[in-house]
Amino acid sequence: MVHDLMNAGERTLRFIVYRQLRNQITQRYFDLLTELERQDLQDVFIDYQREMTVGLLMTELLRHHEERISITDSYFPGKNIRHVNADTQSGMIFTYLVAHNADATLKETACYFGYDKNYFSRLCRRLFNKSFSEQLTFIRIELAKRMLAFSNKRIEQIAAELGYKNNSSFFTAFKREMAITPNDYREQHGYRLAHQHINDN
């Protein structure tokens, strides 16, 4: 995915979100890039150092990237998934499903990517090790967890935004995935919103 990102067109907005980047090597590369950005932009030596540092940073990010990439947060738009690697394929499908989580269907998603419905179903199974509907549910629950923890939206509103026809179906899906109800999840994790407001003031 990183390789495909680096070879994407310059006008195409794409990004990958990493989590748990606490090791010192990664942090030093980021610090060095920050310092290089403060330097003279017309200096060819600075440009070279910047390019080398970006390359080294990308190499470091590739280590254990499966655990570090938050594919739900990453943005990898596009339709042509036939000639890219599996990580990029899953990233593109994730990006589409996050954007269309409320109304995505197997047939419409397969059509968007130019595949037959049955083939696309098998592709999802291979990429995600779960069915299309299971993957869509996973994305909806991930989005629901964030809204419950970081927003004051009513649970009915969250359910509607995620494409659930009623609260009952949302509660059932959420409890099946998380083993607790949305209300209980908000009670356990909703403190983040209050804590965030305290830190902002």
Side-chain angles (χ1 to χ4, degrees):
M1 183 184 282
V2 173
H3 177 271
D4 291 325
L5 176 67
M6 292 176 73
N7 287 286
E10 291 182 7
R11 296 184 180 180
T12 304
L13 175 63
R14 299 181 180 189
F15 57 83
I16 298 172
V17 176
Y18 285 84
R19 303 228 180 262
Q20 301 173 349
L21 297 178
R22 297 192 183 97
N23 70 50
Q24 289 186 349
I25 295 175
T26 304
Q27 192 58 54
R28 286 177 182 170
Y29 286 144
F30 279 125
D31 291 342
L32 179 56
L33 278 175
T34 301
E35 184 59 35
L36 288 170
E37 287 300 318
R38 295 189 182 119
Q39 304 301 316
D40 182 7
L41 296 177
Q42 304 300 319
D43 190 322
V44 293
F45 295 105
I46 295 294
D47 288 343
Y48 177 76
Q49 288 176 323
R50 187 183 297 112
E51 288 176 14
M52 291 299 101
T53 305
V54 168
L56 289 168
L57 174 61
M58 290 297 185
T59 301
E60 181 62 25
L61 291 176
L62 284 171
R63 294 174 59 203
H64 312 296
H65 70 278
E66 293 88 354
E67 301 98 40
R68 294 175 173 181
I69 289 178
S70 175
I71 205 163
T72 309
D73 296 308
S74 300
Y75 183 68
F76 230 82
K79 292 184 178 184
N80 187 8
I81 63 174
R82 293 177 188 272
H83 306 294
V84 294
N85 65 37
D87 283 341
T88 301
Q89 286 181 326
S90 58
M92 288 181 172
I93 294 170
F94 250 94
T95 295
Y96 179 87
L97 292 179
V98 168
H100 300 87
N101 68 82
D103 55 6
T105 66
L106 173 61
K107 183 177 180 180
E108 289 173 353
T109 307
C111 182
Y112 175 83
F113 288 107
Y115 284 109
D116 167 75
K117 180 177 77 170
N118 294 327
Y119 178 85
F120 188 74
S121 177
R122 293 193 298 273
L123 176 64
C124 287
R125 175 73 68 176
R126 190 170 73 245
L127 290 172
F128 305 120
N129 202 27
K130 57 183 74 169
S131 70
F132 173 85
S133 61
E134 289 170 338
Q135 189 59 44
L136 182 57
T137 297
F138 169 79
I139 288 172
R140 286 175 171 171
I141 298 304
E142 286 297 302
L143 295 172
K145 284 160 56 179
R146 293 176 194 194
M147 286 190 266
L148 289 166
F150 295 107
S151 81
N152 290 323
K153 290 181 180 179
R154 290 177 295 109
I155 290 178
E156 297 82 7
Q157 184 181 355
I158 292 172
E161 286 183 18
L162 296 175
Y164 290 96
K165 294 180 179 177
N166 53 58
N167 283 354
S168 177
S169 59
F170 173 58
F171 269 72
T172 300
F174 193 92
K175 191 167 185 180
R176 186 173 58 242
E177 294 291 318
M178 301 301 300
I180 60 174
T181 67
N183 287 322
D184 290 339
Y185 186 89
R186 173 163 268 172
E187 282 188 17
Q188 292 178 20
H189 298 86
Y191 74 89
R192 295 177 185 172
L193 185 65
H195 184 71
Q196 195 173 27
H197 285 317
I198 291 170
N199 287 341
D200 289 343
N201 294 333

